[in-house]
Amino acid sequence: MLCFSSPPANDSPEEFAQNKQKSDNITQQLSRERKDYENTQRLLLLGAGESGKSTILKQMVILHLGSFTKEQRKEKALQIKTNVKDVVLTVTEAMSQIDPPVLFGDTSNIKILDEIKEQVEEPDFDFPPIFFDRCAKVWKDSGVQRCFERSNEYQLIDCAPYFMEENKLRQVSDQEYLPDDQDVLHCRVMTRGILEIRFTWDKAKFHVFDVGGQRGERKKWVQCFNDVTAIIFVVASSSFNMVIQEDKSTNRLHEALELFEAIWTNRWLREVSVILFLNKQDLLKQKIKSGKFSLERYFPEFAAYRPPGSAKSDQDDNADTVRAKYFIRDKFVEISVNTPHEHKYLYPYFTTAVDTENIRRVFIACRDIIQRLHLRQYDLL
């Protein structure tokens, strides 16, 4: 900061007054920026790939920034059409790779698939209606559906059943298609680098960072550690029977637990509390209720697990889904209990990121927690 007690020898009184005014303006601007910085609650979204972090960020846009612009929706329309292409090509390619392999129910669909592959390689390919007609025919094939039911054996985006539903696929195929909020929430685009949004909620300022969750993106996380109010760690609870994209062998939920422990014990985050979003509860319930996937197969200790007496159930829960979701929750709680830190707390919530009302309720529940953490961060509590 510049300081003038008397005019320098070479300055006239007018120049001295101007310089002092500039100095005062700079000091005031720095003071305002510092105050604004200290009044902003910074949240860092972390978690493994495919956990739903970016969907949580989209919900913040919907809830606190008035949703998406027409231009943003147009951009998402193209990404959604790309999702449809990726789903069809991924499932049909997996048919010959999974063990045992799956054959087409109707061999005439092989020719249609070849036409799709040729079409998407065309330099001027722009998702014409005939492309979606072909995708719909291939998708209905009994062999393709059997392979889709085994999608835990390969990498497939979660939005596959949403966009491949007959009526939804017809909407997406329209040349004038503009996605609604639910479509945007289901759209899958891998996060690369650091995304961030700012918004004001009940006069409180928030700055939220979303960083890619794949292993190759995690080296960028440390750039966001400074002055974080809280971490929102997002877990795909439904991923207990799936493997990560990077090595095709590591169980996704095991990976999430190891990653959470690394964050919980990180020396740079020793006093940063964690809000745990046990996400994709809708998909977890579908898997457990179907009876096709056993949590015990991947976590043998689940056989002896009993949920706490305080366990609460939702309207669509049964005894098995309640037991499963609390077991997964307690695996993360156990890590926090076994490595306690003073002034560091874990706040777990069950979430479904594509359900705006669910996320609204969770955000309201978290708001006071974040506010207290922010006040403690600056020794105001």
Side-chain angles (χ1 to χ4, degrees):
M1 182 176 65
L2 300 176
C3 183
F4 299 95
S5 56
S6 60
N10 296 328
D11 284 356
S12 67
E14 292 79 8
E15 289 173 329
F16 169 77
Q18 291 175 358
N19 289 334
K20 186 176 186 307
Q21 184 62 50
K22 289 179 181 179
S23 175
D24 291 344
N25 290 342
I26 292 171
T27 300
Q28 291 170 12
Q29 178 63 26
L30 290 174
S31 178
R32 285 194 297 268
E33 290 178 357
R34 181 61 187 174
K35 184 176 181 180
D36 183 69
Y37 184 82
E38 292 182 353
N39 287 338
T40 300
Q41 301 168 39
R42 284 167 291 282
L43 306 177
L44 179 57
L45 282 165
L46 296 181
E50 307 297 329
S51 61
K53 300 188 312 302
S54 297
T55 309
I56 298 293
L57 195 74
K58 292 177 195 173
Q59 289 285 21
M60 293 182 182
V61 173
I62 291 171
L63 293 169
H64 303 296
L65 291 175
S67 197
F68 304 95
T69 65
K70 187 174 182 178
E71 288 305 312
Q72 289 172 324
R73 292 180 193 276
K74 286 181 179 180
E75 180 182 348
K76 292 298 179 185
L78 180 59
Q79 293 170 351
I80 288 168
K81 292 179 180 185
T82 302
N83 283 169
V84 170
K85 179 196 73 173
D86 292 343
V87 167
V88 172
L89 295 181
T90 298
V91 176
T92 53
E93 182 181 358
M95 292 173 71
S96 61
Q97 297 178 349
I98 57 178
D99 187 19
V102 180
L103 300 176
F104 276 92
D106 183 349
T107 55
S108 67
N109 285 324
I110 298 176
K111 183 176 183 300
I112 298 176
L113 176 61
D114 288 338
E115 291 170 345
I116 291 173
K117 291 179 178 179
E118 291 176 5
Q119 191 175 23
V120 299
E121 292 299 325
E122 295 173 358
D124 57 348
F125 175 68
D126 61 350
F127 296 97
I130 190 173
F131 164 78
F132 293 97
D133 292 341
R134 289 168 174 165
C135 287
K137 290 177 182 177
V138 169
W139 185 251
K140 290 178 181 177
D141 186 272
S142 59
V144 172
Q145 284 300 301
R146 287 196 302 274
C147 186
F148 167 63
E149 290 173 359
R150 294 169 57 185
S151 60
N152 66 300
E153 299 177 38
Y154 54 95
Q155 302 295 324
L156 181 66
I157 51 180
D158 288 335
C159 63
Y162 180 85
F163 289 120
M164 298 308 297
E165 189 273 327
E166 186 174 358
N167 291 331
K168 180 58 66 178
L169 189 59
R170 190 178 301 115
Q171 292 176 20
V172 174
S173 69
D174 192 314
Q175 294 295 92
E176 300 301 319
Y177 166 65
L178 203 64
D180 61 17
D181 284 352
Q182 270 299 302
D183 294 350
V184 173
L185 289 171
H186 279 86
C187 175
R188 174 65 182 124
V189 180
M190 184 180 294
T191 302
R192 298 193 182 280
I194 301 172
L195 304 179
E196 56 184 291
I197 62 169
R198 298 172 184 265
F199 59 87
T200 300
W201 183 21
D202 282 352
K203 299 181 181 180
K205 295 180 180 180
F206 291 85
H207 190 181
V208 186
F209 302 87
D210 173 25
V211 193
Q214 278 72 25
R215 287 178 174 176
E217 295 291 315
R218 294 175 195 168
K219 58 182 179 292
K220 302 171 185 174
W221 288 8
V222 70
Q223 302 174 36
C224 305
F225 284 176
N226 189 45
D227 281 345
V228 172
T229 305
I231 290 170
I232 298 178
F233 192 90
V234 187
V235 180
S237 298
S238 60
S239 64
F240 68 86
N241 66 331
M242 304 169 73
V243 295
I244 64 173
Q245 186 173 12
E246 290 87 337
D247 66 14
K248 310 297 189 291
S249 61
T250 303
N251 179 278
R252 285 193 188 183
L253 192 51
H254 281 291
E255 171 91 346
L257 285 162
E258 292 177 5
L259 185 56
F260 174 79
E261 184 171 15
I263 292 298
W264 185 262
T265 57
N266 187 288
R267 63 192 182 98
W268 303 109
L269 302 170
R270 189 173 296 276
E271 294 190 359
V272 179
S273 292
V274 178
I275 298 170
L276 177 66
F277 280 8
L278 295 147
N279 197 34
K280 303 194 179 182
Q281 290 296 310
D282 54 336
L283 301 181
L284 174 65
K285 291 174 186 179
Q286 289 176 19
K287 286 186 177 181
I288 298 300
K289 288 181 178 180
S290 73
K292 297 177 182 178
F293 308 103
S294 170
L295 185 52
E296 185 178 342
R297 175 182 174 184
Y298 305 93
F299 292 84
E301 63 270 32
F302 180 63
Y305 177 77
R306 295 294 177 269
S310 58
K312 298 179 181 179
S313 60
D314 295 328
Q315 190 173 8
D316 58 344
D317 273 329
N318 60 28
D320 291 333
T321 59
V322 170
R323 186 164 163 255
K325 73 182 189 180
Y326 275 93
F327 169 79
I328 294 171
R329 184 203 72 166
D330 287 351
K331 295 295 289 183
F332 289 89
V333 171
E334 183 181 350
I335 292 172
S336 69
V337 171
N338 289 342
T339 317
H341 294 291
E342 188 178 6
H343 304 310
K344 181 168 186 167
Y345 305 94
L346 179 67
Y347 303 94
Y349 292 91
F350 299 112
T351 63
T352 297
V354 294
D355 183 343
T356 301
E357 188 54 38
N358 169 259
I359 298 302
R360 186 198 309 274
R361 291 196 303 269
V362 171
F363 280 170
I364 290 173
C366 292
R367 181 176 55 188
D368 290 342
I369 292 171
I370 296 168
Q371 183 65 33
R372 288 199 303 273
L373 294 174
H374 180 248
L375 292 173
R376 186 181 295 122
Q377 182 181 15
Y378 290 100
D379 296 324
L380 299 174
L381 186 67

